[in-house]
Amino acid sequence: MDILKKIEMFREEEAKLRWEGTFGEYLEIVKEQPWVAQSAHSRVYNMIRDAGIEDDKGKKSYSFFSPQLFGLEEALERLVEEYFHPAAKRLDVRKRILLLMGPVSGGKSTLVTMLKRGLEAYSLTDRGAIFGIKGCPMHEDPLHLIPQNLRGEFYDEYGIRIEGNLSPLNMMRLEKEYGGRLEDVLVERVFFSEDKRVGIGTFSPSDPKSQDIADLTGSIDFSTIAEFGSESDPRAYRFDGELNKANRGMMEFQEMLKCDEKFLWHLLSLTQEGNFKAGRFALISADELIVAHTNETEYRSFISNKKNEALHSRIIVMPIPYNLKVTQEEKIYEKMIQESDVSDVHIAPHTLKVAAMFSILTRLKEPKKGDIDLVKKMRLYDGKNVEGYNSADVDELKKEYQDEGMSGIDPRYVINRISSTIIRKEIPSLNALDVLRSLKEGLDQHPSITNELRERYLNFISLARKEYDDIAKKEVQKAFVYSYEESAKTLMENYLDNVEAYCNKAKMRDQLTGEEINPDEKLMRSIEEQIGISENAKKAFREEILIRISAYARKGKRFDYNSHDRLREAIQKKLFADLKDVVKITTSSKTPDEQQLKKVNEVVARLIDEHGYNSTSANDLLRYVGSLLNR
């Protein structure tokens, strides 16, 4: 569809949503759709909730954040359930400034931007509809027109609490334009837009000596004083500060803790009392969510200053740590690459995963238990199975440190190194070794990395390399085994037949001769040894397999190749062990014969067709695995 046609359609849709009527007509809408009168905090919470919530064993994840924020499920659940939800219920937390605190490039700005863009889109829906007094620069809540003495009766009839007073400007307009007849006051539907400064504001502190409080609260329009006769006439005031324009929605306060105190006190008055002082007027009511963000160093400095003690209790701090899951970190890199001009470069499978492993290792803290290392901890956090550990162990690990994920390598560093490698190599293909090499070189150029930290990070690069070695071997293993799944399934069926006979103390029948024979102990042990099952543990492992088969049968399911992770791993390793010599000879031969060349070409074709490589990265992988096997 032509882009201009789409723009025209959007304009027509927006025009259909526009509404204008009297306050009396607006009350009819409120009676039918009471949510149009909800508070700013409630609107944000309902926007997040309406996008969808998934509940996995008591842990919530929000579809609203999932397209752009990865691996922050716990932090986001805490933010929504401990701040937005109670604030939507008008509990006291809504009278606090929300301060997002975390390391650089951790997702704080992305989170705030998502809330802004989300509110803009939500205001175009029925559930997110907002109405304001027409002609009001602050798009004031029309319900402020209801006199204080009637608000109790209004609540009894409509079930809606009214907070805040009519602004000085609208009070004057009510008398002069409408003759005090509030039922005739015009009301219009409001659509949030940061660009048009409607319902969404952004305040960024500049030089404390030159920045004016008017940037927040508006200013006197001196050109109109002669016309209106006084600075205290609201018509002679520009209600164009960020607090004015963000009314009914949200305001982002960038670098809040670097700001002059006079700016912070206005925020505290707004959040605590729901109003702020501007010009020579009575207090002006405003309903908006104030979101600020900072890093940990600035926050620690802020709270250590005794002058700021009064502010501490008026701020709710929400830690936004780095993601600690490898698979989610990969998604962050994929997103950042897609947004760049190098999105057409071929990145070999597992390249981003290996880079993610390095990043996550730098963010994890050493487990206090001596029986677990950082690599196992990384796998557990990523939801992988680690022998001898379960979900309860993961929860225990997470409780060891409250500040885990607040330091380490940030995603931008990794993407910068990937970009640097792509540009320097000048070829349309990138593999894991290229990235690890670049990450290592970049440590020398990183200004905030000490020598001690550099040594630690070099060790993490080595650990990530070892993980990649295992991945690379498995990848080639899968490609070398012709009809890999079929070969694996055949070997597994053979193993299961032997295990069943062993556990039932029965004989097996030779398929060729028809003779009765004992279970093949040599075959069973050759598979079990691949995953470290000892002679003493073999009986328990085989019985566990048989119990699993019975459990599947009771549920009417078939036990297959993917039903037991450790058995599948053992089968894979056994197949590869049998093929290792073939792989060695084929990949390391400088002058391969016709048969070897055919085999290599088959493997390369399978890596390209089934595993996502291109010809360059597939050949690189084969050469690398060959060198590993020949060591």
Side-chain angles (χ1 to χ4, degrees), residues 379-395:
R379 288 178 186 156
L380 285 168
Y381 274 18
D382 203 31
K384 300 288 188 288
N385 288 324
V386 175
E387 188 180 356
Y389 299 94
N390 53 37
S391 57
D393 294 309
V394 177
D395 293 337

Side-chain angles (χ1 to χ4, degrees), residues 1-49:
M1 187 185 288
D2 185 79
I3 188 67
L4 293 176
K5 188 74 175 169
K6 284 188 175 182
I7 292 168
E8 186 185 340
M9 286 176 62
F10 175 77
R11 196 164 52 239
E12 288 170 359
E13 287 297 318
E14 196 175 46
K16 287 178 190 174
L17 295 175
R18 295 191 185 283
W19 182 91
E20 185 180 309
T22 64
F23 180 64
E25 291 168 330
Y26 170 67
L27 286 181
E28 292 302 315
I29 294 175
V30 172
K31 189 171 276 186
E32 291 175 19
Q33 304 170 16
W35 60 83
V36 299
Q38 66 189 324
S39 68
H41 288 84
S42 177
R43 191 173 293 107
V44 172
Y45 173 67
N46 286 325
M47 170 186 73
I48 295 168
R49 193 185 63 177

Side-chain angles (χ1 to χ4, degrees), residues 442-462:
L443 294 177
D444 292 330
Q445 302 160 24
H446 203 295
S448 61
I449 293 179
T450 62
N451 286 336
E452 185 183 348
L453 206 54
R454 183 177 175 278
E455 289 304 313
R456 192 161 176 263
Y457 286 178
L458 286 172
N459 180 47
F460 293 147
I461 287 174
S462 299

